[in-house]
Amino acid sequence: MLNFTVGPVQSDETIRSIGAEQVPYFRTPEFSEIMLENERLTLKFSKAPKGSRAVFITGSGTASMEASVINVLTPEDKAIVINGGSFGQRFVDLLNIHKIPFSEIKLRHGQALTNEMLAPYENKGYTAFVVQGHETSTGVKYDLDMISGFCKRNNLLFLVDAISLFLADRFDMEALCADVMITGSQKALACPPGVSVIVLSPKALDRVNANDPKCMYLDLRSALTNGERGQTPFTPAVGVLRQINKRLKEIDAKGGVETEIARIRGLAEYFREQIKDLPFEIVSESMSNAVTPLHPTTASAYDIFTVLKDEYGIWVCPNGGDMKETVFRVGHIGALTKADYDTLLKALKDLQKRKII
C-alpha cells in the first residue's frame, strides 16, 4: 500500500526496523538518555524559549489536547477557541467537559481566520486563546503571526495544536510567544501512533505548577518531575519513543527542521501543480504544506477513497460527517517521494479515463 493520509503516515525502513526489535526494559540509564535527547531535540525544533520543557504522553494527540486544557487552564479562565473543523470542535468539547468558560469563533469549512473576526474580542477580559495551527480536517493553516499579535496585545495564554503542523510548516514558539505546542508521533515525525508531545513555555509551566488537576495519568506535574531524570510516571510506548529518537536525530543530521519543511513543501508543490487539469477544487483558503484538501467536482470523495484503496492499493485521507462525500485529502508528510506521487497521479488519471471522476 502507498499511504498519502495525514496519519499514521509512511515510515522509512530504519524506523520500521526499530519497531521489529524486542522492546527493551525502560527504567535504565540508557532509556533515560534517549528521553532526555528527545526532549532536547523537540525543544530545538519547536524553537521553544529558554526554560521550556517537553513531556511525552503515551496517548494520541487528543490525550495531549486534554492534558493541556486540564493542566494549563482552570474554570477561572476565559478562553477564545477557533472552530474550523472536527479538531477545532474537539477543543470546544474539551473546554465544555472541563468547564472552562469560552467564546467560540466558528468558521465554515476551508475558511481562513481574519483580523476582522478577532476585533470584537479585543480587551474583553479573555485570558487564553486555543487553536489548531493547522485544522487537519479542512486543510486550513491559520495565520499564527496574526493570532500571536492578538494574544500579545491582550496578554493571553496561547495554546497551539500543531499536531499536523510541526515539522511541515514554520513554527517558532519563541517568536510567536506561544505557551503550549502539541504534536504527535504519527504525523511529520513519521513514526507509529501512540505518543503525543506537549511543549510548555515558562509561563505555561508556572500555570501547571500552580494548578491542581483532578486526574492521575494526565497530571503534567508528575510527567515533568519524572522527565527531569529522563523517565515517565507510567509505562510509556517504549518502542515508539525509540523510533522518535531515531527520527529526531535523522532530521537533525540532514539539516534540521528547515530542511525537513523544505522537503515536505516541495512534495506539496509538486502534487498541486500536477493536479491542475483534474476535476478537483482545493477547498482551503490558506493551506499547510502537510496536506492538500480536494473537492471532486464530478464524483463522491468517499467513492474515490474507496476505489483507490480497493483497486489501486493507495490510501488517501477521507473525511467524515458532512464532508464525507465532498472532500478528501492528500497528505505530504511521511516517507514519500515524487515517484510515489507519480503513482498516485497515474491512478487518478486512470479513474478519469474510467469516468469514475
Side-chain angles (χ1 to χ4, degrees), residues 187-262:
K187 301 295 185 178
L189 273 170
C191 293
V195 171
S196 52
V197 189
I198 308 171
V199 180
L200 299 157
S201 74
K203 186 176 176 183
L205 289 169
D206 287 343
R207 279 294 196 109
V208 170
N209 289 324
N211 208 343
D212 185 25
K214 303 305 180 191
C215 64
M216 179 184 289
Y217 193 76
L218 297 180
D219 184 344
L220 294 187
R221 282 182 301 184
S222 176
L224 289 161
T225 299
N226 280 272
E228 290 174 3
R229 60 190 179 92
Q231 287 291 329
T232 56
F234 311 104
T235 303
V238 176
V240 179
L241 288 162
R242 292 178 67 230
Q243 290 169 306
I244 288 173
N245 182 253
K246 183 68 175 179
R247 177 78 170 119
L248 289 170
K249 291 194 291 186
E250 177 185 89
I251 292 169
D252 204 33
K254 291 183 177 179
V257 64
E258 287 79 12
T259 299
E260 182 65 10
I261 290 170

Side-chain angles (χ1 to χ4, degrees), residues 172-190:
D172 188 325
M173 191 170 175
E174 183 170 25
L176 291 169
C177 290
D179 295 297
V180 175
M181 187 207 81
I182 304 164
T183 192
S185 58
Q186 80 275 25
K187 301 295 185 178
L189 273 170

Side-chain angles (χ1 to χ4, degrees), residues 88-300:
Q89 181 62 46
R90 195 163 298 177
F91 260 140
V92 169
D93 295 341
L94 286 167
L95 292 169
N96 268 320
I97 289 168
H98 297 290
K99 301 186 181 346
I100 311 296
F102 68 93
S103 294
E104 174 187 0
I105 300 178
K106 180 87 171 178
L107 305 176
R108 69 176 184 274
H109 297 323
Q111 186 178 17
L113 183 71
T114 66
N115 266 317
E116 289 73 22
M117 297 174 190
L118 294 177
Y121 301 91
E122 292 271 5
N123 302 311
K124 294 294 174 64
Y126 290 94
T127 61
F129 198 106
V130 183
V131 67
Q132 272 70 34
H134 173 227
E135 173 55 65
T136 319
S137 67
T138 63
V140 173
K141 180 171 72 70
Y142 296 121
D143 186 341
L144 293 180
D145 291 321
M146 177 189 71
I147 297 171
S148 172
F150 177 86
C151 291
K152 290 172 186 175
R153 292 193 304 274
N154 291 274
N155 192 31
L156 305 183
L157 282 161
F158 187 14
L159 286 72
V160 184
D161 163 1
I163 291 171
S164 60
L165 186 80
F166 181 61
L167 300 177
D169 290 276
R170 182 182 68 86
F171 187 89
D172 188 325
M173 191 170 175
E174 183 170 25
L176 291 169
C177 290
D179 295 297
V180 175
M181 187 207 81
I182 304 164
T183 192
S185 58
Q186 80 275 25
K187 301 295 185 178
L189 273 170
C191 293
V195 171
S196 52
V197 189
I198 308 171
V199 180
L200 299 157
S201 74
K203 186 176 176 183
L205 289 169
D206 287 343
R207 279 294 196 109
V208 170
N209 289 324
N211 208 343
D212 185 25
K214 303 305 180 191
C215 64
M216 179 184 289
Y217 193 76
L218 297 180
D219 184 344
L220 294 187
R221 282 182 301 184
S222 176
L224 289 161
T225 299
N226 280 272
E228 290 174 3
R229 60 190 179 92
Q231 287 291 329
T232 56
F234 311 104
T235 303
V238 176
V240 179
L241 288 162
R242 292 178 67 230
Q243 290 169 306
I244 288 173
N245 182 253
K246 183 68 175 179
R247 177 78 170 119
L248 289 170
K249 291 194 291 186
E250 177 185 89
I251 292 169
D252 204 33
K254 291 183 177 179
V257 64
E258 287 79 12
T259 299
E260 182 65 10
I261 290 170
R263 184 188 71 82
I264 293 169
R265 182 174 61 246
L267 293 174
E269 291 173 348
Y270 179 76
F271 175 73
R272 291 166 189 170
E273 180 64 29
Q274 298 299 313
I275 61 168
K276 286 184 175 179
D277 294 331
L278 290 170
F280 301 138
E281 294 175 353
I282 291 175
V283 299
S284 171
E285 294 178 357
S286 175
M287 283 191 294
S288 163
N289 295 323
V291 64
T292 301
L294 295 172
H295 166 58
T297 57
T298 59
S300 155

Side-chain angles (χ1 to χ4, degrees), residues 296-351:
T297 57
T298 59
S300 155
Y302 198 79
D303 286 350
I304 292 171
F305 157 73
T306 301
V307 173
L308 286 173
K309 173 176 66 73
D310 293 344
E311 299 183 27
Y312 294 83
I314 293 172
W315 283 318
V316 293
C317 204
N319 261 312
D322 59 358
M323 289 190 290
K324 178 178 178 179
E325 301 295 338
T326 58
V327 177
F328 72 95
R329 296 160 292 159
V330 176
H332 310 299
I333 52 180
L336 293 166
T337 65
K338 287 183 179 178
D340 293 328
Y341 284 94
D342 290 340
T343 300
L344 172 59
L345 290 160
K346 183 179 178 181
L348 291 172
K349 289 174 182 177
D350 193 48
L351 291 183

